[in-house]
């Protein structure tokens, strides 16, 4: 009957029963490979098993299980402490006599060991009866066994049989009751139960052996399946559970007499490794038996049931029944659209704050949603403002909670939760977050989150990185060095696999074929798999060094299965990547331990503003500064929308105004004539007039009133900018002007050769005219000459102003006509301009 458990159940059972569910989930082949014997219901792992294995005492004459870092059993460790300083550990392990007290229970009496006469040893190799007779006669063991002049040789006595405890295989040393010596002592200590209580007591006793085996025999089937599934999850997740600790755990559940781990009272189990295993196994059994429908009815959701990382979504603090039901329905719908549970948890926190506001401010506590008014949401916004003013809430949290409540109400209505029968039925349509209650994140003129280059240089200083490596290992140092170059999301960097480095064949400037490294990784946030990010050789060198370290650390694992940054715990094979929380904790501790950091002007830099994500902002700003178009940068960053890229870098109003003043005097018209030759600095009124009197167009700005009023959508001259008197440009548009001129020249040659495809009149209309080419050359030449004529200091200031304006333009959602999208061919992004400059690459 026991042996049949691993295959089929003897009695019919519902297919949805917990036993059937667990039986289908248990990987019997995996457990068999690890040492489980289904017929005997005994788990015997290999001693060297990295998860379930155990250590035997280092003393040659001892076979007890080892404990502690010395790898000695408890008794031999006491003996070692008494050995004195003159004895080496190696000689002690070779010469020590073994444990101070011989283990009893398995050995049989020298006399009473024949079949039908088995009795366990008590003292001097004899059972208790033989020993007492020997002592009464005054004999030695040898005289008792062989006989002497007065007494004949000893004869074996009848056996008492096996111990009555279900799990115990030892022979009984007394007859009433038939218990081995150890169980007899325990039986006496627990009040000597008898009758039916004796049977219950025997069924709840655990194994007393500590030999590396785990005996499951006699357990109820459901409890057996729970424990076996727990062992399987340990194997799957790399969770260590030594066989002796698992046996202790089995003894605990026997003693409590429960039918399942879910009925176990862990509060009665003292803290130990056995308790950790029981908690782990019970948690995963509960997870395996859960489903979305049953979990959705709870007030605290385990997000693993919804396929997310470990985390809880708690609705219990939502005091209003309608709000709690609505939040659950909304979260169940949204769970499939988010990568992690964090956005849901943040929204629920905003709803808890809203629930508390209703409870404080409404007479009915907000229990009836049909009585809510728009003013109640305005009151909630005021409560958050008060919390911010008192320092109990940050501005970003206030802004986020208001926006999340607004989105929650809109999405709940879109899901139909406000229809008849829905939890929000009766909530008026005008109950929305007032527009004036929404909090702006900040003006574009405020500083961004990117770190100044001087701070990055201090973080990447060899001494600072050596401090990180000394505290948390070479993996963490490699992560920081890599992130400073590639600017990935934290989760993407942590999840990199060992084989993430690849190469592409490219033709360099000299026409030679060369191998260019790329970093291959996934972007789950935007659904991109296998994204190939170009990197430089120095970054590739960091990756190769990390690959070598990991491969040497886990030689038995296939490279394709290894993580580039393996988790330090519960990861014996190196297949699991480090968790974001673990790495961010190490990063924060390192930043706090660094010496004082200095800003651009030598002032102390606030290290609270330094996060690991700051490197991503710095990555974006670094390439925005070099003129990389926002579309290209969005692809490098893995953004689905340009607006997501634009918030990563900003230009302060002070720097932007300085740049505008610098380039105002270099502004030219279509003929290359300067429009403001005498301007040194624009007045505030002139800046304001320019802001409302011009609109961005390709290669410059337009001041034609009709087109400006239509935001660039109603040019009366069909966008012939280079021939229009209202057109203005300056040196900051030189990259666009040069690129389009090159395109014009290439198109002219291509269209001249298109003889069969085009009629003469069509070809003449399509070929760029000589006047158009000359106009572009005239404007480009004039802008270049104006910059070249400046003194060196002024020229450097103009170049800096160009960088500032390029970044500012990248923040704009350009409002050019659709037919002009893609008109300007931008240069290919240079990912590592600093490295190119150091090598003397002038391009």
């Amino acid at each position: 009957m026991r042996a049949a458990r691993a295959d089929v159940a003897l009695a019919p059972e519902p297919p949805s029963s917990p036993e059937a569910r667990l039986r289908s989930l248990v990987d019997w082949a995996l457990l068999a490979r690890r040492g489980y014997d289904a017929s005997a219901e005994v788990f015997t792992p290999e001693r060297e098993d990295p998860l379930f294995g155990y250590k035997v005492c280092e003393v040659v004459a001892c076979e007890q299980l080892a404990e502690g870092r010395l790898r000695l059993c408890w008794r031999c460790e006491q003996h070692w402490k008494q050995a004195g300083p003159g004895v080496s550990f190696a000689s002690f392990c070779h010469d020590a006599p073994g444990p101070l007290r011989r283990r009893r229970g398995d050995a049989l009496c020298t006399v009473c060991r024949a079949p039908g006469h088995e009795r366990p040893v008590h003292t001097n190799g004899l059972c208790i009866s033989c020993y007492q007779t020997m002592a009464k006669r005054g004999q030695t063991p040898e005289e008792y066994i062989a006989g002497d002049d007065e007494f004949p040789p000893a004869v074996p006595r009848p056996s008492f049989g096996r111990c009555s405890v279900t799990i115990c295989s030892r022979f009984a040393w007394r007859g009433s009751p038939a218990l081995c010596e150890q169980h007899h002592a325990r039986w006496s200590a627990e009040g000597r139960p008898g009758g039916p209580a004796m049977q219950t007591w025997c069924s709840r006793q655990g194994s007393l052996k500590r030999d590396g085996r785990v005996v499951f025999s006699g357990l109820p089937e459901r409890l057996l399946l729970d424990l076996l599934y727990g062992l399987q999850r340990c194997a799957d997740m790399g969770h260590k559970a030594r066989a002796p600790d698992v046996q202790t755990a089995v003894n605990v559940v026997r003693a409590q007499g429960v039918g399942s781990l879910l009925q176990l009272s862990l509060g009665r189990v003292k803290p130990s490794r056995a308790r950790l295993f029981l908690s782990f196994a019970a948690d995963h059994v509960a997870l395996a038996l859960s489903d979305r429908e049953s979990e959705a009815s709870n007030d605290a959701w385990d997000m693993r049931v919804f396929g997310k990382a470990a985390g809880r979504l708690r609705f219990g603090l939502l005091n209003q029944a309608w709000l709690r039901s609505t939040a659950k329905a909304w979260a169940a719908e949204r769970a499939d659209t988010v990568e992690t549970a964090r956005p849901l948890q943040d929204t629920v926190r905003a709803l808890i704050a809203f629930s508390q506001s209703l409870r404080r401010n409404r007479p009915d506590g907000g229990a009836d949603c049909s009585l809510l008014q728009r003013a109640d949401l305005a009151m909630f916004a005021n409560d958050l403002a008060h919390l911010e003013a008192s320092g109990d809430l940050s501005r970003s949290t206030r802004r986020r909670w208001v926006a999340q409540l607004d989105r929650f109400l809109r999405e709940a209505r879109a899901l139909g939760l406000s229809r008849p029968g829905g939890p929000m039925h009766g909530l008026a349509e005008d109950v929305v977050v007032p527009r004036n209650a929404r909090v702006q994140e900040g003006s574009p003129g405020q500083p961004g989150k990117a770190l100044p280059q001087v701070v990055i240089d201090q973080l990447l200083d060899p001494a600072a990185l050596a401090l990180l490596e000394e505290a948390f290992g070479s993996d963490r140092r490699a992560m920081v060095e890599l992130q400073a170059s590639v600017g990935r999301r934290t989760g993407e960097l942590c999840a990199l696999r060992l084989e993430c480095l690849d190469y592409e064949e490219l033709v360099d400037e000299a026409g030679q074929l060369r191998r260019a490294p790329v970093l291959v990784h996934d972007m789950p946030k935007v659904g991109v798999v296998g994204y190939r990010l170009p990197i430089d050789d120095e970054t590739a060198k960091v990756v190769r060094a990390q690959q070598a370290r990991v491969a040497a650390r886990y030689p038995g694992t296939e490279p394709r299965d290894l993580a580039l940054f393996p988790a330090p715990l519960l990861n014996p094979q190196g297949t699991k990547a480090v968790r974001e929380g673990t790495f961010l904790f190490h990063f924060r501790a390192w930043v706090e331990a660094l010496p004082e950091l200095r800003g651009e002007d030598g002032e102390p830099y606030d290290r609270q503003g330094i996060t690991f994500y700051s490197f991503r902002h710095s990555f974006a700003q670094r390439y925005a500064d070099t003129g990389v178009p926002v579309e290209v940068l969005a692809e490098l960053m893995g953004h689905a929308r340009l607006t997501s890229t634009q918030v990563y870098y900003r230009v302060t109003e002070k720097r932007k105004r300085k740049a505008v003043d610098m380039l105002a005097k270099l502004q030219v018209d279509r003929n290359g004539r300067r429009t403001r030759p005498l301007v040194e600095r624009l007045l505030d009124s002139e800046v304001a007039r320019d802001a409302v009197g011009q609109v961005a167009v390709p290669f410059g700005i337009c001041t034609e009133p009709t087109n400006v009023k239509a935001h660039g959508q109603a040019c009366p001259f069909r966008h012939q900018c280079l021939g229009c008197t209202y057109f203005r440009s300056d040196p900051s548009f030189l990259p666009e002007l040069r690129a389009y001129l090159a395109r014009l020249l290439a198109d002219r040659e291509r269209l001249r050769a298109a003889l069969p495809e085009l009629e003469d009149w069509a070809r003449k209309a399509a070929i760029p005219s000589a006047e158009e080419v000359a106009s572009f050359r005239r404007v480009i030449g004039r802008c270049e000459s104006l910059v070249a004529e400046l003194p060196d200091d002024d020229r450097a200031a103009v170049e800096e102003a160009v960088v500032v304006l390029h970044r500012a333009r990248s923040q704009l959602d350009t409002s050019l006509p659709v037919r002009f999208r893609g008109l300007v061919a931008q240069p290919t992004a240079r990912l590592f301009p600093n490295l190119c400059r150091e090598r003397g690459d002038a391009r």
Side-chain angles (χ1 to χ4, degrees):
M1 177 177 178
R2 296 289 188 186
R5 288 188 186 178
D7 303 315
V8 294
L10 295 181
E13 60 184 0
S16 59
S17 68
E19 289 80 4
R21 173 67 175 162
L22 289 171
R23 194 180 300 111
S24 66
L25 292 175
V26 172
D27 189 341
W28 300 100
L30 170 66
L31 293 178
R33 291 194 302 270
R34 281 300 180 75
Y36 179 65
D37 184 351
S39 60
E41 295 183 342
V42 174
F43 179 54
T44 311
E46 295 290 337
R47 186 182 298 179
E48 295 79 16
D49 192 306
L51 299 179
F52 308 117
Y54 52 92
K55 301 173 183 178
V56 176
C57 183
E58 291 287 322
V59 175
V60 176
C62 180
E63 296 183 356
Q64 301 276 17
L65 297 184
E67 302 285 348
R69 61 182 183 84
L70 293 177
R71 298 191 64 173
L72 298 175
C73 69
W74 181 85
R75 298 188 184 280
C76 288
E77 186 171 351
Q78 305 307 310
H79 202 172
W80 162 247
K81 291 178 180 179
Q82 299 172 10
V87 181
S88 67
F89 185 75
S91 61
F92 168 79
C93 292
H94 185 269
D95 300 331
L100 299 176
R101 181 183 178 187
R102 183 176 179 80
R103 183 177 58 187
R104 301 178 302 182
D106 295 323
L108 295 178
C109 175
T110 306
V111 177
C112 306
R113 59 174 53 194
H117 300 272
E118 301 92 340
R119 293 193 179 190
V121 167
H122 175 68
T123 305
N124 292 336
L126 301 175
C127 64
I128 183 68
S129 299
C130 289
Y131 176 76
Q132 290 175 347
T133 302
M134 178 198 71
K136 184 176 180 180
R137 294 176 179 179
Q139 295 175 310
T140 64
E142 293 78 12
E143 293 173 342
Y144 174 75
I145 295 171
D148 55 17
D149 296 339
E150 185 175 359
F151 299 100
V155 295
R157 305 165 188 270
S159 175
F160 295 118
R162 297 282 182 177
C163 180
S164 299
V165 172
T166 307
I167 197 175
C168 186
S169 60
R170 293 173 176 173
F171 285 96
W173 77 309
R174 292 183 183 275
S176 182
L179 296 172
C180 65
E181 184 177 0
Q182 287 84 351
H183 279 124
H184 190 280
R186 184 174 295 179
W187 174 73
S188 299
E190 295 180 8
R192 297 173 174 261
M198 177 64 178
Q199 296 179 0
T200 303
W201 183 88
C202 289
S203 67
R204 293 189 176 186
Q205 299 308 300
S207 174
L208 298 176
K209 293 184 178 180
R210 290 181 60 83
D211 54 2
R213 299 190 311 155
V214 183
V215 181
F216 295 103
S217 58
L219 290 176
E221 182 182 14
R222 169 62 191 280
L223 187 56
L224 173 66
L225 291 171
D226 286 355
L227 291 167
L228 291 180
Y229 185 69
L231 285 178
Q232 176 184 322
R233 294 302 296 156
C234 286
D236 293 340
M237 300 181 63
H239 185 94
K240 286 187 178 181
R242 300 189 317 145
D245 301 324
V246 177
Q247 181 62 71
T248 302
V250 174
N251 293 345
V252 167
V253 297
R254 286 184 191 275
Q256 291 198 17
V258 295
S260 167
L261 288 182
L262 303 185
Q263 303 170 0
L264 187 67
S265 176
L266 286 174
R268 295 165 52 189
V269 184
K270 64 180 181 180
S272 61
R273 288 192 290 264
R275 177 174 173 173
L276 290 177
F277 169 74
L278 290 173
S279 176
F280 175 87
D283 176 59
H284 283 273
V285 167
L287 179 62
L289 298 178
S290 299
D291 55 61
R292 295 178 66 127
E293 290 73 18
S294 61
E295 193 69 20
S297 64
N298 300 329
D299 283 343
W301 291 3
D302 186 341
M303 295 308 297
R304 294 174 298 175
V305 178
F306 297 85
K308 310 304 174 187
R312 292 277 178 178
L313 202 58
R314 305 181 188 278
F315 302 94
L317 293 179
L318 297 174
N319 300 296
Q320 298 78 16
W322 69 270
L323 183 58
R324 183 164 57 250
S325 299
T326 303
K328 288 182 180 181
W330 170 85
E333 185 72 22
R334 284 276 291 156
D336 293 328
T337 65
V338 294
E339 181 183 355
T340 67
R342 190 174 303 170
L344 303 181
Q345 291 169 334
D346 207 25
T347 299
V348 170
R349 281 192 286 268
L351 295 180
I352 291 173
F354 177 56
S355 173
Q356 294 171 347
S357 175
L358 292 178
R359 190 175 184 182
R360 284 192 305 268
N361 299 316
R362 285 198 57 83
D364 63 344
D368 188 352
C369 65
S370 64
L371 301 179
L372 262 62
Q373 300 176 359
R374 188 170 183 173
D376 295 316
L377 276 72
M379 183 63 70
F380 167 66
N382 291 338
D383 288 346
L384 295 185
H386 177 73
L387 291 174
E388 180 190 354
S390 61
D392 296 327
L393 194 71
S394 68
R395 183 175 183 82
S396 61
T397 302
R398 174 191 167 198
R399 177 193 60 79
R400 192 171 64 251
W401 282 3
V402 171
Q404 286 168 341
L405 176 61
D406 180 56
R407 186 179 65 179
F408 168 78
L409 292 175
R410 286 187 286 104
E411 292 182 353
R413 288 189 172 102
L415 292 173
L417 301 180
S418 60
R419 295 175 182 171
M424 280 176 54
H425 177 57
L427 185 67
E429 290 295 326
D430 63 343
V431 179
V432 296
V433 177
R435 197 166 191 83
N436 58 2
R438 300 171 189 175
V439 186
Q440 298 299 321
E441 182 178 9
S443 66
Q446 293 178 341
K449 298 179 181 179
L451 297 175
Q453 186 60 44
V454 64
V455 176
I456 294 179
D457 292 341
Q458 294 173 72
L459 293 174
L460 299 182
D461 184 80
L465 293 175
L467 180 64
L468 174 62
E469 183 174 3
E470 180 181 357
F472 303 111
S474 56
D475 286 14
R476 302 298 171 266
R477 173 171 181 164
M479 293 181 78
V480 171
E481 291 179 307
L482 185 59
Q483 178 68 352
S485 297
V486 301
R488 301 299 87 189
R489 299 179 180 92
T490 309
E492 295 168 1
L493 188 78
C494 291
L496 287 174
R497 309 310 295 175
L498 189 75
E499 297 180 340
C500 63
L501 185 62
D502 200 2
Y503 292 87
E504 294 178 343
E505 299 290 343
L506 297 179
V507 179
D508 60 14
E509 293 82 350
Q512 301 295 321
L513 196 66
R514 67 179 182 89
R515 300 176 72 225
V518 292
L519 187 72
V520 184
H521 70 287
D522 297 338
M523 296 181 182
K525 186 174 182 179
V526 290
V528 176
V529 177
Y531 182 77
R532 302 174 70 84
L533 176 73
I535 58 176
D536 67 349
D537 292 333
E538 292 299 318
T539 305
K541 183 178 178 181
V542 173
V543 176
R544 287 194 297 268
Q546 178 64 14
Q547 288 175 325
R549 285 191 293 267
V550 174
R553 194 182 310 161
Y554 302 100
T557 306
E558 291 292 332
R560 64 175 178 272
D561 298 328
L562 286 172
L564 184 64
F565 302 109
L569 300 175
L570 305 178
N571 190 26
Q573 305 301 321
T575 57
K576 293 195 304 183
V578 64
R579 297 180 61 181
E580 288 186 51
T582 301
F583 171 67
L584 293 178
F585 175 80
H586 293 168
F587 180 83
R588 186 77 257 158
W590 168 61
V591 171
E592 295 297 334
L594 288 173
E596 186 176 44
L597 301 175
R598 294 289 178 177
E600 294 177 310
D601 298 325
E603 76 283 3
Y605 193 83
D606 182 12
R607 66 186 69 205
Q608 292 299 321
I610 301 176
T611 65
F612 191 65
Y613 221 74
S614 300
F615 286 115
R616 181 166 171 82
H617 287 272
S618 302
F619 173 87
Q621 182 159 326
R622 181 165 67 247
Y623 295 121
D625 287 348
T626 62
V628 174
V630 66
E631 297 86 353
V632 177
L633 189 55
E635 183 178 353
L636 293 176
M637 299 288 288
H639 290 154
R641 296 179 301 175
L642 297 184
T643 53
S644 300
T645 308
Q646 291 161 359
V647 300
Y648 270 75
Y649 49 93
R650 294 178 179 172
V651 181
T652 62
E653 292 293 347
K654 181 178 179 181
R655 294 186 65 193
K656 190 186 302 183
R657 175 63 181 275
K658 181 179 178 182
V660 170
D661 288 343
M662 179 62 65
L663 291 173
K665 59 186 177 184
L666 302 179
Q667 192 179 85
V668 297
D669 61 10
R670 62 179 179 177
N671 297 314
R673 294 191 296 266
R674 296 173 66 177
T675 59
R676 290 169 170 169
L678 303 179
V679 170
E680 291 296 330
R681 184 179 184 277
L682 294 177
L683 300 176
D684 292 342
S685 59
E686 292 177 302
V687 173
R689 188 179 300 110
D690 284 349
V692 300
Q694 63 189 28
V695 66
V697 295
F699 328 119
I701 59 174
C702 175
T703 60
E704 201 282 323
T706 304
N707 197 35
V708 170
K709 185 177 181 180
H711 304 290
Q713 303 292 326
C715 176
F717 312 118
R718 299 176 58 190
H719 299 279
Q720 301 298 320
C721 297
L722 267 291
C724 179
T725 188
Y726 294 103
F727 174 73
R728 304 287 185 269
S729 189
D730 61 59
S732 67
F733 294 97
L734 277 174
E736 292 89 340
L737 290 165
R738 290 169 181 152
Y740 191 63
L741 176 61
R743 181 172 175 176
L744 285 178
L745 297 175
D747 287 348
R748 184 169 63 180
E749 299 302 320
R750 177 174 55 81
L751 292 171
R752 283 175 176 174
L755 295 177
E757 292 87 350
L758 290 176
E759 298 260 354
D760 289 342
W761 66 268
R763 185 168 56 255
K764 291 178 181 178
I767 292 177
S769 65
E771 292 81 0
E772 183 179 7
V773 172
S775 180
F776 268 92
R777 284 176 170 162
R778 184 167 55 249
V779 174
I780 291 173
R782 183 55 174 160
C783 288
E784 290 177 339
S785 64
L786 287 175
V787 175
E789 293 168 2
L790 294 174
D792 292 343
D793 293 344
D794 290 347
R795 190 183 308 116
V798 167
E799 291 175 353
E800 181 182 356
V802 168
V803 169
V804 171
L805 290 183
H806 277 172
R807 192 192 312 165
R809 289 170 191 157
S810 297
Q811 292 175 239
L812 301 175
D813 189 9
T814 309
S815 58
L816 296 179
V818 174
R819 59 183 176 275
F820 278 86
R821 295 287 186 179
L823 180 65
V824 180
Q826 296 286 2
T828 302
R830 299 300 299 271
L831 292 182
F832 302 97
N834 293 334
L835 185 63
C836 294
R837 284 196 293 269
E838 292 171 3
R839 293 178 177 176
D841 189 350
R843 194 165 68 102

